[in-house]
Amino acid sequence: MEFFLQLLIQGLSVGFLYALAALGFVMIFKSSSVLNFAHGELLAIGAFIFLVFSVRLNLPIPIAFLFTLAGTFAMGFVIERLFLRPLIGEALIEVIMLTVGLAAMFKGLLLVIFGGNLFNYPDFLPKALTIEWGAITIPPVYVASFIIGIIFLSIFGFFFKYSSQGIYMRSVADNQPAALSLGVHVRRVFAMSWAIAALVCALSGIILGIMNGINVHDISIMGLKVFPVVILGGLESIGGAIIGGLIIGLLETFTGGYLSTSLKEVIPYVVLVFILLVKPYGLFGLVEIERV
Amino acid sequence: MEDNILLQLNNISVVYSDVIQVLKGVSLVVKKGQIVSLLGSNGAGKTTTLKAISGLLKPENGKVTEGNIVYEGHLIQNSAPEQITRLGIIQVLEGRQPFKYLTVEENLRVGTATRWGKPYKKDLELVYHYFQPLVARKNRLAGYCSGGELQMLVMGRALMAHPKLLLLDEPSLGLAPFLVREIFEIVKRINEEQRTTIMLVEQNANMALLIAHYGYVMENGKIVMEDEAKKLRENPDVKEFYLGTAASGVLKSYKEVKSYKRRKRWL
Ligand SMILES: Nc1ncnc2c1ncn2[C@@H]1O[C@H](COP(=O)(O)OP(=O)(O)OP(=O)(O)O)[C@@H](O)[C@H]1O
Ligand SMILES: [Mg+2]
């Protein structure tokens, strides 16, 4: 029972990590129909920027954290402006190939600057975050992931549901010509979705870095995890990305805990295949509203 | 130039994809505070004319290749829709285009995009005042609304933007006759009470000419007739071709129907 609880909490923490990364992926897809193959690299960039601020520049952790968020947000805008915007109106496959190219470029840049070694953040998480409860011990990083996940997913949930900018963003995803006719700045919405994506990726990159250390290859590989998550949740649904992330996180952790760590990477995909057989558009995929 | 002119199209030509010429020298004038109706059969180029004004040609790979469009002293041909909407020109697209996965009220809020950050509660009230059936639907997904509700929604959404010039593309399309009457009634009230200048594209010439001050008739990418709405209603050609009421009231023979087709070509 205690072991189960421990796995449950760890699984949810890992799930929040995936959910954050998937949120960014879904946002880019929803607003501009682009599948971003450079997603893992965005995680890695976030993790390394935090490394630079916290270790190389030795800034206090909260400041380094805020700078990283601001920096990656701005970087998202720049990426859209420099690389994506010139391709607006071109065939989608070209844009998707561009993101494959971006992935290679980002990874190359990180390797040139930092090399392929494993880095570590200083051990900055307060010990008070550790949960000890009977025989259960949950390391602080899982608790932190849990908290950050809940905070940021709620912030973005409220942003999309209630704020005007969030509603403009959803309107572009829904019906682009109509959004244009009302003066919604569609290109700005694209840029905004890249900025938010880069920011949430940085969050999950940092958490990953705390958990496993920071290595260009290891972190960018984690970008592949967004595929089962968004396929499970439904490509169109932000809520689905969150639930999908949590499910995959739990599946992995429970498989690793009860069966074996080597199956951890496989079982979630097996489950995925079964779910897709039953619900081909994912759990929360868009069911086209047919009337109108 | 007279200063009660809000919009002027001077001899514009529009070409899609660099080769398909759709408008061939269209000139028209919209005076402040009026309802100006643009009539014509399918494919005449009415929607294209509206899109040339609102800038929505651009995403469809269309372009004004000749002539110019003057709006309040600005030359706006081929400007981006983000700029044109911010000058106060809002187009309500043909065929009602709701944001299906947004609620009715969220749809209305998208109408604030041109003045983001300003208060909008009063405007919501105004829209609900004109389009009362929307009140009961405000938290429903727009995708589940009926055609009449949607037409009200898209017009209300445009109203949220405080347009100076509202471009309406076939608001009566596919609606039951009593609803059409209601919609036109509201269009007229908006024009009178909000002092919104309106350009009304219609196939339902009968209704359109009842509320319009001035009218243009288009065929094949050209303006073929223009006059006061009152006079257009009396014009025998318009009566025959667009109002469906021949002067004599006698059923036309087949031969005359054929001549209608012939005449339509040169009209
Ligand atoms: N994006 C486009 N690319 C190429 N041709 C187009 C495009 N849009 C419209 N056309 C053509 O331009 C002509 C005029 O179209 P338009 O939609 O302006 O007509 P309309 O008067 O609004 O007709 P309707 O009453 O059927 O809406 C048509 O022949 C149409 O096929
Ligand atoms: Mg049309």
Side-chain angles (χ1 to χ4, degrees):
Chain A
M1 185 60 199
E2 276 152 354
F3 187 51
F4 174 84
L5 271 180
Q6 171 151 6
L7 290 182
L8 181 69
I9 295 179
Q10 286 193 2
L12 288 175
S13 306
V14 174
F16 275 124
L17 180 93
Y18 293 161
L20 279 171
L23 170 74
F25 190 86
V26 167
M27 275 193 40
I28 292 176
F29 180 76
K30 266 180 80 103
S31 67
S32 57
S33 307
V34 173
L35 293 172
N36 176 24
F37 281 88
H39 217 66
E41 283 68 21
L42 291 184
L43 298 183
I45 292 178
F48 275 102
I49 291 185
F50 186 60
L51 182 76
V52 169
F53 282 137
S54 63
V55 178
R56 304 269 162 107
L57 300 179
N58 220 350
L59 296 174
I61 293 299
I63 307 248
F65 185 66
L66 286 181
F67 276 15
T68 306
L69 296 191
T72 48
F73 189 77
M75 181 189 72
F77 269 109
V78 173
I79 293 177
E80 197 277 342
R81 192 65 241 238
L82 285 185
F83 302 108
L84 279 299
R85 188 163 299 181
L87 288 189
I88 287 180
E90 301 295 327
L92 220 45
I93 184 70
E94 290 181 32
V95 188
I96 292 170
M97 289 316 292
L98 171 91
T99 69
V100 175
L102 281 180
M105 187 186 89
F106 291 151
K107 205 164 172 180
L109 275 177
L110 287 175
L111 282 172
V112 167
I113 302 174
F114 298 98
N117 300 335
L118 184 68
F119 298 89
N120 282 298
Y121 297 127
D123 195 6
F124 60 84
L125 286 172
K127 289 283 166 292
L129 278 180
T130 316
I131 295 184
E132 287 190 57
W133 195 36
I136 310 180
T137 313
I138 294 168
V141 61
Y142 288 96
V143 181
S145 168
F146 205 101
I147 295 172
I148 289 183
I150 287 182
I151 291 178
F152 279 89
L153 290 175
S154 320
I155 290 177
F156 285 112
F158 275 102
F159 172 76
F160 286 118
K161 183 66 195 153
Y162 300 108
S163 80
S164 292
Q165 285 299 337
I167 290 177
Y168 303 155
M169 290 184 79
R170 281 193 286 143
S171 81
V172 171
D174 195 310
N175 186 334
Q176 199 171 308
L180 270 175
S181 79
L182 292 164
V184 176
H185 215 302
V186 172
R187 282 167 301 166
R188 201 171 289 161
V189 165
F190 290 171
M192 188 80 165
S193 60
W194 276 87
I196 294 179
L199 185 149
V200 290
C201 281
L203 285 172
S204 36
I206 293 171
I207 299 169
L208 265 173
I210 303 174
M211 282 183 186
N212 307 332
I214 311 140
N215 170 277
V216 178
H217 299 288
D218 293 349
I219 295 191
S220 39
I221 280 288
M222 292 301 282
L224 293 179
K225 280 279 159 57
V226 301
F227 288 99
V229 170
V230 298
I231 292 170
L232 180 65
L235 259 178
E236 307 272 350
S237 163
I238 286 173
I242 297 169
I243 308 277
L246 293 179
I247 293 179
I248 298 276
L250 285 171
L251 277 173
E252 269 190 19
T253 316
F254 278 113
T255 315
Y258 285 122
L259 300 174
S260 83
T261 19
S262 53
L263 281 180
K264 199 173 125 174
E265 300 292 322
V266 181
I267 294 289
Y269 293 91
V270 176
V271 174
L272 180 70
V273 169
F274 278 107
I275 290 182
L276 287 185
L277 282 178
V278 186
K279 301 206 73 165
Y281 296 105
L283 293 176
F284 300 89
L286 207 55
V287 184
E288 186 67 9
I289 297 180
E290 282 300 351
R291 75 178 293 168
V292 173
Chain B
M1 204 196 294
E2 293 173 66
D3 52 25
N4 63 346
I5 290 178
L6 184 63
L7 174 81
Q8 195 162 10
L9 272 59
N10 297 313
N11 214 12
I12 63 161
S13 297
V14 167
V15 174
Y16 285 110
S17 313
D18 292 329
V19 284
I20 310 165
Q21 176 158 24
V22 173
L23 298 192
K24 304 150 187 165
V26 169
S27 297
L28 56 81
V29 167
V30 177
K31 291 197 181 145
K32 267 187 198 137
Q34 291 205 330
I35 298 180
V36 173
S37 185
L38 183 57
L39 309 172
S41 51
N42 291 109
K46 307 180 296 294
T47 299
T48 302
T49 307
L50 291 192
K51 286 187 170 169
I53 300 168
S54 63
L56 293 175
L57 280 180
K58 226 179 190 181
E60 296 197 33
N61 207 5
K63 216 173 139 188
V64 178
T65 52
E66 278 168 58
N68 59 39
I69 303 178
V70 190
Y71 169 80
E72 289 196 314
H74 304 271
L75 282 174
I76 58 166
Q77 69 275 9
N78 299 322
S79 297
E82 299 92 61
Q83 291 162 348
I84 294 177
T85 48
R86 278 162 183 75
L87 294 173
I89 301 181
I90 300 287
Q91 178 173 1
V92 177
L93 299 174
E94 189 174 20
R96 306 181 262 282
Q97 304 266 346
F99 303 113
K100 289 195 221 170
Y101 299 94
L102 271 61
T103 65
V104 164
E105 187 147 312
E106 287 169 348
N107 264 268
L108 295 178
R109 286 184 58 189
V110 180
T112 63
T114 51
R115 50 190 189 88
W116 170 59
K118 307 261 165 62
Y120 57 85
K121 289 274 166 348
K122 282 232 167 60
D123 303 290
L124 281 177
E125 276 166 33
L126 186 79
V127 169
Y128 289 136
H129 161 74
Y130 282 113
F131 303 103
Q132 267 146 20
L134 295 183
V135 179
R137 298 271 179 274
K138 61 174 153 186
N139 294 321
R140 225 187 209 231
L141 287 192
Y144 295 114
C145 289
S146 72
E149 288 160 358
L150 284 184
Q151 188 57 45
M152 297 189 182
L153 176 62
V154 294
M155 285 167 55
R157 203 168 64 177
L159 215 52
M160 294 291 290
H162 298 172
K164 287 187 208 159
L165 174 61
L166 186 59
L167 310 172
L168 295 176
D169 200 347
E170 303 206 33
S172 76
L173 196 76
L175 296 185
F178 80 93
L179 261 175
V180 174
R181 228 166 298 132
E182 195 177 332
I183 295 277
F184 276 80
E185 195 56 44
I186 298 173
V187 170
K188 191 167 168 224
R189 277 177 54 208
I190 290 173
N191 167 253
E192 286 169 358
E193 297 165 10
Q194 306 298 317
R195 320 279 329 128
T196 309
T197 308
I198 293 172
M199 218 175 141
L200 176 62
V201 159
E202 262 302 335
Q203 303 236 8
N204 190 338
N206 219 340
M207 292 299 290
L209 290 177
L210 273 178
I211 63 165
H213 301 93
Y214 203 84
Y216 289 88
V217 179
M218 257 189 121
E219 281 305 330
N220 275 323
K222 292 190 179 120
I223 301 284
V224 290
M225 208 188 288
E226 63 165 282
D227 213 333
E228 306 273 320
K230 269 197 290 292
K231 292 190 185 135
L232 276 184
R233 276 209 308 276
E234 299 307 318
N235 182 302
D237 285 331
V238 173
K239 266 187 176 170
E240 194 174 339
F241 306 140
Y242 296 102
L243 302 181
T245 51
S248 61
V250 182
L251 264 177
K252 298 231 140 189
S253 73
Y254 177 65
K255 215 163 92 192
E256 278 162 317
V257 173
K258 262 176 67 179
S259 81
Y260 148 74
K261 278 192 184 148
R262 254 204 318 279
R263 281 184 60 187
K264 191 167 166 170
R265 220 166 291 135
W266 56 254
L267 182 86

